[in-house]
Amino acid sequence: MAIRRTTVSRRAGWSSLSRPWQDLDLVLLGAVVALSVLGCLLVWSATAHRDSLTGGNPKAFLDKQVVNLVIGLVLMGLVTATDHRWVRILAPVAYAGGIIGLLLVLVMGSTINGSKSWLMLGGMSLQPSELAKLAVVVGMALVVAERSEGRWSRGVGRSDVLLMLAVAGVPALLILMQPDLGTMLVLTATVIGVIAASGADGRWLGLLAAGGVGVAVMAVASGFLKQYQVDRFLAFTNPNLDPKGAGYNVEQARIAVGDGGLFGQGLFHGSQTRAGFVPEQHTDFVFTVAGEELGLVGAGILVALLGVVLWRALRIASRTDDMFGRMAAAGIACWFGFQAFQNIGMCLGIMPVTGVPLPFVSYGGSSMFAGMLAIGLLQNIHLRTLRSPAARLLPAQRVLVRS
């Protein structure tokens, strides 16, 4: 059978390029914007009645989160509009920037909640480990892309996997030194996802899983983890072990979610939220606000929107013929998917408390910026796929001739 395709007319090609914003993945964009707006409302509700946090201004955190959202959208737009060739060129720069940020935080960072993870820049705080997640994704994607395009032998072999692990290992080690266990778990899941998507032998996944368990056991046995981190894991296995200490967060989170019922108590009317019983509710435990005030229906909508983001990321990964784009989109899907599962899981008591934000919902500029940069990269990959010669062919122009 021979296949012959007609050439694309100049008008058809320029038609696609002349309306770039109409070619965006609007479903993905709509889901992200909806999550971000919902997040602003939940952050507002979680902080409006806490004068100790807001200094008497009920909208203090809302105003900051709106600014974070606007900056994030600008960053997303810049990455979306960047020529795809420059995205590949700038990938090593993004990776190097992530490493530099992690080094700076170890030298001059501030310790918050037991972890030296923050850089104070003027009146703003930046968490480099959030941006390092995207740096690892693009770094590993570039490794796979470069070797698959003929510079090295075809097929993902042992040397390729080891190189990907080396790319991920440097930031992972720096994150462990903070220590930031939550980010480390998310990074581990992301690395495993990228290696799986690259087509590497399945035995590598088993070795990585076994190695991860071994490292965790050694970290606990050697005293590398701080006591509060060990207490959190012990409280996860037995919440009644220390209900007023390490298990307090989980217990109060479960009460808040359970009080919501089917339709919730109403936005700004959650009893647990208004009383301030759930610690860090505007950041790590923001899902409890949705559960209590919007109920099972509202929380389900939030989860569904996150599911839409993952679906579109995986769809973009499956449709592109560019290896860099495919690996990057798959890595972003793994990153968002596991982080959302970890955050919601710790609010429900099915995952240990590790202090990771809920993508696009939790308060914080670093998480918002990293997430929006990742969405911009997904949109960039999507636009490149649409503008490839095969994608520009109109249905009537695709002539299949069998012989």
Side-chain angles (χ1 to χ4, degrees), residues 30-288:
V32 169
V33 171
L35 280 170
S36 302
V37 172
L38 180 58
C40 289
L41 294 175
L42 296 178
V43 167
W44 184 14
S45 178
T47 58
H49 303 286
R50 300 190 182 186
D51 292 341
S52 60
L53 286 175
T54 64
N57 179 9
K59 294 184 178 180
F61 280 80
L62 171 65
D63 294 340
K64 293 178 182 178
Q65 186 69 348
V66 170
V67 172
N68 291 335
L69 174 57
V70 171
I71 295 174
L73 289 172
V74 171
L75 293 174
M76 181 192 72
L78 291 175
V79 176
T80 301
T82 301
D83 187 279
H84 72 274
R85 290 167 294 186
W86 277 102
V87 172
R88 286 279 295 268
I89 294 172
L90 293 175
V93 177
Y95 179 79
I99 298 298
I100 292 172
L102 292 174
L103 288 171
L104 287 176
V105 82
L106 292 176
V107 175
M108 51 186 293
S110 300
T111 301
I112 300 177
N113 293 331
S115 179
K116 192 175 183 180
S117 305
W118 301 85
L119 284 175
M120 307 307 295
L121 304 174
M124 295 182 59
S125 58
L126 181 68
Q127 190 175 10
S129 59
E130 287 295 323
L131 299 172
K133 298 171 188 174
L134 181 59
V136 168
V137 167
V138 298
M140 294 182 69
L142 188 61
V143 167
V144 178
E146 291 294 324
R147 50 123 341 256
S148 68
E149 291 173 358
R151 291 194 179 183
W152 302 325
S153 60
R154 294 193 173 275
V156 179
R158 179 173 58 184
S159 60
D160 305 320
V161 175
L162 291 176
L163 184 56
M164 285 189 281
L165 290 176
V167 168
V170 175
L173 179 61
L174 295 175
I175 290 171
L176 274 178
M177 293 173 65
Q178 296 179 5
D180 186 348
L181 189 58
T183 300
M184 188 61 204
L185 289 175
V186 174
L187 194 62
T188 301
T190 303
V191 169
I192 292 176
V194 173
I195 291 177
S198 70
D201 194 304
R203 289 176 294 181
W204 280 104
L205 304 181
L207 290 173
L208 288 174
V213 173
V215 170
V217 172
M218 290 177 57
V220 174
S222 64
F224 180 81
L225 295 181
K226 295 187 176 182
Q227 187 58 45
Y228 79 92
Q229 293 173 318
V230 177
D231 291 341
R232 284 179 175 180
F233 277 95
L234 293 176
F236 167 66
T237 59
N238 183 8
N240 297 322
L241 186 65
D242 188 11
K244 294 185 178 180
Y248 178 80
N249 292 21
V250 176
E251 186 64 25
Q252 295 302 319
R254 293 172 68 178
I255 292 173
V257 173
D259 284 349
L262 185 60
F263 296 106
Q265 300 179 15
L267 198 61
F268 304 104
H269 293 91
S271 56
Q272 293 284 108
T273 299
R274 289 175 63 91
F277 286 142
V278 183
E280 308 296 338
Q281 197 173 18
H282 59 301
T283 54
D284 301 342
F285 290 92
V286 72
F287 183 78
T288 63

